Amino acid sequence: MFTQDGFGVRLEWGMEGVEALAPHCTVLVIVDVLSFSTTVDMIVGQGGRITLRPGGEDGTSGLRRPSAVKEIDKDEEIVMTSPNGGRLAERASLQTQVLVGCLRNAAAVA
């Protein structure tokens, strides 16, 4: 109903938003500030790589909390699941480029 056509920036929420906008966007930004986005920023900021593992739909999570991310070796691969932001990023990446935004990297994302 609200396609937001004609605008350079579009805002949506959840999986329905990803499915509505991903086919029409050059870049889709996932913002899940409770822990996914911050954890991703902390890992990538130290040179680590993240691989999302399917799962998390049942509320379980292999997500490292930001407080658990101490030091990451450069090029270390972190495998994790996330029932929210991770699932959205994984789904969006099938159709478009995905960035993960949080308060820590807001200026870079903008």
Side-chain angles (χ1 to χ4, degrees):
M1 180 175 177
F2 301 104
T3 63
Q4 303 175 39
D5 288 338
F7 293 94
V9 175
R10 302 172 187 190
L11 303 172
E12 263 304 341
W13 183 265
M15 190 61 76
E16 290 178 359
V18 167
E19 291 175 356
L21 294 182
H24 308 286
C25 295
T26 303
V27 175
L28 194 135
V29 180
I30 301 293
V31 179
D32 177 1
V33 296
L34 293 178
S35 53
F36 175 73
S37 299
T38 302
T39 302
V40 168
D41 181 67
M42 292 176 78
I43 292 169
V44 173
Q46 295 181 58
R49 296 178 293 116
I50 296 174
T51 299
L52 292 172
R53 180 183 60 197
E57 292 85 358
D58 60 358
T60 62
S61 176
L63 177 64
R64 287 190 182 189
R65 300 283 176 228
S67 60
V69 178
K70 304 270 189 261
E71 285 190 35
I72 303 295
D73 293 330
K74 187 174 184 330
D75 294 325
E76 180 179 350
E77 181 180 10
I78 306 297
V79 178
M80 61 188 228
T81 62
S82 169
N84 297 312
R87 281 185 52 227
L88 299 176
E90 193 172 44
R91 174 68 176 92
S93 70
L94 298 174
Q95 295 182 292
T96 190
Q97 295 295 311
V98 176
L99 299 178
V100 176
C102 66
L103 296 175
R104 293 173 49 94
N105 68 359
V109 171

